[in-house]
Amino acid sequence: MDEVDALVARMRTSGHDERAAIREQLLALCAGPEGGQVRDHLERAARGQVLEIQWELEEIVEETAPAPITSPEPEPEPEPEPEPEPEQGGQLTSKDLDVVYDDPRGLILHRTKDGTRWFATQMDPRTGQPQTFELHANEIDQLKAQLAGSPYWAIGGAPA
C-alpha cells in the first residue's frame, strides 16, 4: 500500500497533465490481484484529501468496483385457487342468492332462495379483492346472534 500512498501524494502535488498518468497507474493497481485491498485503501485515503483529489480517487474506486451481485427476483407466488363451492344442485350464481345483511364496512351475507345455505363476502386483506365463502350451520347461528341488533339487515332477512 506504500505504492498507493506514494501515487496519491504525487497526485496531490502534480498538475492536471500528470494526474492522468497517475490515475492510470491507480486503475491498474485496482484491477490487479490485490484490487479489493487497493480500493479499500483508496477509499480511506480519499477522506483526508482536498475535494478535487477526493473526487478523483472516488471515481477510480467506482470505476473499478466489481459489478453488484444481483440475485434473481423470486417469482411471485401464484394466487391460490378459490375453493369450489359444494355441488348441491349445480353452480350457484348471484341470481340464486338473496342479500340478507349488507354492512358498508365490508361484510355481506347471502343465503340461497330456499334458505338452506349461507355465504359471506368479505375483502381479503392480502389482495383487497372480495372473497365469498360458505358458512357452516354453527357459524350462521353465531353470526345471527352477534348481528341481531344491527341496522344493516335487509328487509325480511333479519334473524328471528
Side-chain angles (χ1 to χ4, degrees):
M1 296 302 129
D2 292 335
E3 184 180 359
V4 174
D5 289 334
L7 289 171
V8 170
R10 272 187 41 212
M11 183 180 271
R12 193 173 47 239
T13 59
S14 65
H16 289 287
D17 298 336
E18 294 176 49
R19 283 188 189 163
I22 296 170
R23 176 182 169 79
E24 293 304 318
Q25 290 176 332
L26 287 171
L27 285 169
L29 287 172
C30 287
E34 296 180 349
Q37 293 174 344
V38 173
R39 279 191 300 281
D40 289 341
H41 191 75
L42 282 177
E43 284 179 351
R44 286 191 299 275
R47 293 184 192 128
Q49 303 300 320
V50 294
L51 283 179
E52 188 175 350
I53 302 301
Q54 183 178 351
W55 292 335
E56 190 74 35
L57 295 176
E58 287 173 354
E59 284 180 15
I60 293 169
V61 169
E62 286 177 18
E63 285 179 32
T64 58
I69 299 172
T70 57
S71 59
E73 291 185 28
E75 293 186 26
E77 292 183 22
E79 290 292 320
E81 296 279 331
E83 293 183 22
E85 296 175 5
E87 294 287 331
Q88 292 180 355
Q91 240 357 24
L92 293 175
T93 65
S94 61
K95 294 177 185 174
D96 300 324
L97 300 175
D98 291 328
V99 174
V100 293
Y101 183 85
D102 189 358
D103 187 337
R105 293 173 289 187
L107 175 64
I108 302 172
L109 297 178
H110 315 270
R111 71 175 169 208
T112 56
K113 301 276 186 201
D114 61 7
T116 58
R117 295 170 65 192
W118 286 61
F119 297 88
T121 301
Q122 289 182 311
M123 289 295 184
D124 184 349
R126 292 174 287 142
T127 63
Q129 298 295 318
Q131 184 178 30
T132 301
F133 51 93
E134 187 168 3
L135 299 170
H136 299 289
N138 62 340
E139 294 173 320
I140 296 167
D141 294 335
Q142 184 181 10
L143 276 173
K144 284 181 181 179
Q146 281 182 325
L147 303 173
S150 175
Y152 302 115
W153 285 99
I155 297 176

